Amino acid sequence: MTVKAVSFVAKSGTGKTTLLEKVIVHLKERGYKVGVIKHDAHRFDIDHPGKDSHRLTAAGADTMLISSPEKLAIVKKHTQSPPIEELIGTYFGDMDIVVTEGFKKSGMPKIEVNRQERSTSLLCRGENYDPTLVAVASDGELDLDVPVLDLNDPCAVADFIEETFLQ
């Protein structure tokens, strides 16, 4: 994989999206092209009834892409989720960094988000040791074998990503 990527993982309700929003802003301010992939373990739909794109998909299109001067969206049916590396390679080749939310079982480098009031145990340390963990963003004091970043300092998290993946 030539595009640099890091996955933010955490238990539900920990604040991954909130942290990612802020980190993305800092990376964009530094001039980086940032791609994002959100893992959804459930079914989602961006193709709404009544829209032409939905009508074409409902008619049987296996892949439907809608494009405008500002953006594009693709709806592609598949029988199982493609590997994250394939998604990055196919859709994000023009990015400096891809941050993902989820994909805790992937082999990608991970930053775990930990909010002490939500849980004192980690997904990537303890009984499920994940060697791809590169840091933890937490609001508590943790003694770990990886850097512990301040969950409430998204600039510091962006600094870590820049130093670790973009230099």
Side-chain angles (χ1 to χ4, degrees):
M1 179 174 8
T2 58
V3 177
K4 304 292 185 191
V6 61
S7 191
F8 281 68
V9 300
K11 295 176 181 174
S12 180
T14 304
K16 292 184 303 288
T17 303
T18 301
L19 177 59
L20 266 175
E21 285 176 303
K22 295 172 182 174
V23 168
I24 290 167
V25 168
H26 286 288
L27 292 172
K28 292 298 296 174
E29 287 173 348
R30 299 170 192 194
Y32 293 109
K33 292 178 76 175
V34 180
V36 179
I37 303 175
K38 164 81 170 107
H39 183 257
D40 189 346
H42 311 288
R43 300 190 76 185
F44 71 93
D45 196 1
I46 62 168
D47 206 15
H48 302 288
K51 296 291 188 182
D52 290 350
S53 58
H54 182 269
R55 291 174 56 200
L56 297 168
T57 303
D62 294 304
T63 299
M64 199 290 306
L65 187 143
I66 184 168
S67 181
S68 75
E70 296 176 351
K71 57 187 168 184
L72 69 83
I74 187 168
V75 176
K76 185 172 184 68
K77 295 180 183 177
H78 53 254
T79 56
Q80 62 184 8
S81 292
I84 185 67
E85 296 82 5
E86 180 182 320
L87 294 173
I88 292 170
T90 301
Y91 301 107
F92 294 89
D94 58 341
M95 297 293 109
D96 295 314
I97 184 84
V98 176
V99 291
T100 75
E101 183 177 330
F103 299 98
K104 63 185 172 192
K105 294 182 180 177
S106 79
M108 293 187 347
K110 295 175 186 74
I111 295 174
E112 182 165 347
V113 180
N114 171 256
R115 188 172 303 282
Q116 293 287 295
E117 73 178 28
R118 169 67 178 92
S119 176
T120 56
S121 66
L122 299 175
L123 294 173
C124 298
R125 287 296 182 265
E127 63 184 61
N128 296 316
Y129 184 90
D130 185 339
T132 65
L133 183 71
V134 295
V136 173
S138 180
D139 61 355
E141 297 286 327
L142 299 172
D143 183 22
L144 296 171
D145 59 338
V146 296
V148 178
L149 311 169
D150 184 348
L151 173 62
N152 298 309
D153 187 355
C155 185
V157 177
D159 289 344
F160 177 83
I161 291 171
E162 186 173 37
E163 292 162 9
T164 306
F165 298 99
L166 294 167
Q167 296 193 3

